[in-house]
Amino acid sequence: MKTFNKFYIEITSVCNLACSFCPETKRQAQFLQPERFRHILDEIKPHTNSIYLHVKGEPLLHPKLGELLDIAAEKGFKVNITSNGTLLHKNREKLLGKPALRQMNFSLHSFDGHEGSTDKEGYVSKVLGFAKEAARDYGVLISLRLWNLTEHNATNLARQRNRDILEMIEREFELAFRIEEEFQRGKGIKLADKIYLNQDHEFKWPKLSEEEDLGRGFCHGLRNQAGVLVDGTVVPCCLDGEGVINLGNIYKQPFSEIVEGERANRMYDGFSRREVVEELCRKCGYRQRFNLA
């Protein structure tokens, strides 16, 4: 039986921002209903106990987020949420104190990525305040993400757009060092107990219109991760945001059958041979970014 360290559940395909680094989905706008969330958890329970509320969309937009977290706790799952952090003021009570909530990732690069963003200091201050409270009082792990570097500025942060955010972080956590002095690409910087800052290059979502690579290499898709979109489409990883590699529908077929189906096994076995069989995978930057190609 295939088991997964990470399983991504898209609870909504709707987002309140339009960030330049995140292509807009062409799929129908939907919110996952609690009864369908229960069904998904029952289906994947033999395969994982760790879920990530993330593919496309902003999880904090979901009107029944608190109820979903309660269902996850009831079913024995630990939950990780990735958010742009702009809606924390409306969701504080739905998040804090929930036994299932293990980690929250905040994409701070969303501020500059969204053209209409205003009041950077207010935005960062609210995220950092929530992060400190969640980590200190509730033991939630926090990852603050700045994934907007380029090859040119990765080694010279002081002259690029993150400096003002880094200064706010340095002040808030009373750091005795400048973050640039400790920066190593791909390695988090500990800011406080359970709170980390992670910086990396801007990621490019895979799409069929991109140029193919040589078709050789490895990926963790369907090996330690899989996911399901809000409409029930099972996908091999969190980067297939449009369901191009449609392995089946979890509302129509048992998940255990889907991940042992012909297409899934062909993909899995291909990576075992270091052969990339899916077209989208041959046009994905993940393997290049993490030296898996």
Side-chain angles (χ1 to χ4, degrees):
M1 177 182 293
K2 292 186 176 77
T3 57
F4 306 101
N5 296 330
K6 298 179 179 180
F7 192 93
Y8 295 87
I9 301 177
E10 182 185 67
I11 62 172
T12 180
S13 56
V14 181
C15 190
N16 62 320
L17 301 183
C19 295
S20 59
F21 55 82
C22 188
E24 183 179 3
T25 180
K26 297 180 175 62
R27 295 179 287 116
Q28 179 182 356
Q30 294 185 55
F31 289 87
L32 186 63
Q33 296 304 308
E35 61 271 19
R36 285 198 155 183
F37 186 65
R38 284 182 179 275
H39 174 79
I40 291 172
L41 296 188
D42 287 340
E43 286 291 315
I44 68 173
K45 184 61 178 176
H47 302 269
T48 188
N49 59 10
S50 182
I51 59 176
Y52 289 68
L53 304 187
H54 175 58
V55 179
K56 289 289 188 71
E58 169 52 51
L60 269 58
L61 269 176
H62 200 293
K64 297 182 178 180
L65 177 60
E67 183 178 348
L68 299 187
L69 288 172
D70 289 339
I71 293 171
E74 171 193 326
K75 300 288 185 180
F77 286 86
K78 288 298 182 182
V79 178
N80 307 270
I81 297 177
T82 297
S83 169
N84 59 44
T86 59
L87 301 174
L88 284 172
H89 61 291
K90 296 181 178 181
N91 288 277
R92 181 183 176 281
E93 301 303 323
K94 296 179 182 180
L95 294 166
L96 296 181
K98 294 294 185 180
L101 185 59
R102 172 187 174 271
Q103 179 170 333
M104 290 203 67
N105 308 312
F106 292 107
S107 301
L108 297 182
H109 48 281
S110 299
F111 187 91
D112 286 325
H114 178 69
E115 188 175 342
S117 296
T118 59
D119 188 17
K120 181 183 286 189
E121 186 167 356
Y123 161 69
V124 175
S125 177
K126 288 176 182 177
V127 172
L128 298 185
F130 176 91
K132 292 176 77 172
E133 180 181 8
R136 180 189 64 237
D137 298 341
Y138 299 95
V140 178
L141 288 170
I142 302 291
S143 173
L144 305 173
R145 295 177 172 177
L146 282 171
W147 288 4
N148 58 0
L149 305 181
T150 66
E151 293 291 347
H152 175 70
N153 65 24
T155 58
N156 196 0
L157 303 183
R159 293 201 300 267
Q160 53 90 28
R161 56 188 172 182
N162 290 341
R163 176 85 294 261
D164 47 359
I165 292 181
L166 297 180
E167 287 179 352
M168 294 179 216
I169 292 173
E170 289 164 358
R171 290 196 302 269
E172 184 68 31
F173 291 95
E174 300 179 343
L175 301 183
F177 57 88
R178 283 170 62 91
I179 291 172
E180 292 92 333
E181 299 170 355
E182 302 293 324
F183 171 71
Q184 296 181 45
R185 186 185 173 196
K187 184 177 180 180
I189 295 175
K190 185 174 183 178
L191 304 174
D193 187 33
K194 297 184 179 298
I195 304 179
Y196 297 84
L197 172 67
N198 293 280
Q199 300 174 90
D200 214 320
H201 293 182
E202 181 175 320
F203 184 76
K204 190 174 184 179
W205 285 77
K207 54 184 178 181
L208 293 176
S209 60
E210 293 293 326
E211 185 177 348
E212 288 193 16
D213 61 25
L214 297 176
R216 301 296 300 174
F218 177 79
C219 183
H220 295 289
L222 282 184
R223 200 166 296 268
N224 72 2
Q225 66 168 288
V228 60
L229 304 182
V230 67
D231 65 356
T233 299
V234 175
V235 292
C237 70
C238 63
L239 300 176
D240 187 4
E242 293 301 289
V244 174
I245 307 175
N246 184 343
L247 301 175
N249 193 290
I250 203 168
Y251 305 138
K252 300 175 182 179
Q253 183 181 2
F255 178 75
S256 295
E257 291 183 8
I258 292 174
V259 293
E260 294 296 345
E262 180 181 353
R263 189 172 189 179
N265 281 331
R266 188 170 65 246
M267 180 179 174
Y268 184 97
D269 294 340
F271 282 130
S272 296
R273 301 188 304 269
R274 302 305 190 262
E275 177 184 343
V276 185
V277 300
E278 288 285 347
E279 180 183 1
L280 186 68
C281 298
R282 295 194 296 270
K283 299 179 176 182
C284 177
Y286 180 94
R287 290 179 300 111
Q288 288 85 354
R289 177 170 175 172
F290 295 97
N291 297 316
L292 296 175

